[in-house]
Amino acid sequence: MTHELWFNGAAAPDVPLPLVGLVGLVVTAGCAFAAGFWAKHTSRPDLGRS
């Protein structure tokens, strides 16, 4: 039984599969961090400084 990659047919991939997964993880984490960093924040006046 051979596993085929849709973009590469039956040939061995040029990039190792763990690296592909790591790149996806880093890109997802970077997008989530950027979205949180640039999100509008509301002030919390009920949290007075003591």
Side-chain angles (χ1 to χ4, degrees):
M1 179 174 170
T2 61
H3 297 284
E4 294 184 5
L5 301 172
W6 66 273
F7 56 86
N8 208 17
D14 292 334
V15 180
L17 194 57
L19 183 59
V20 172
L22 185 62
V23 168
L25 180 68
V26 169
V27 168
T28 303
C31 289
F33 175 81
F37 183 79
W38 281 300
K40 292 189 181 234
H41 295 82
T42 56
S43 61
R44 297 281 308 267
D46 58 325
L47 296 177
R49 295 182 187 236
S50 311

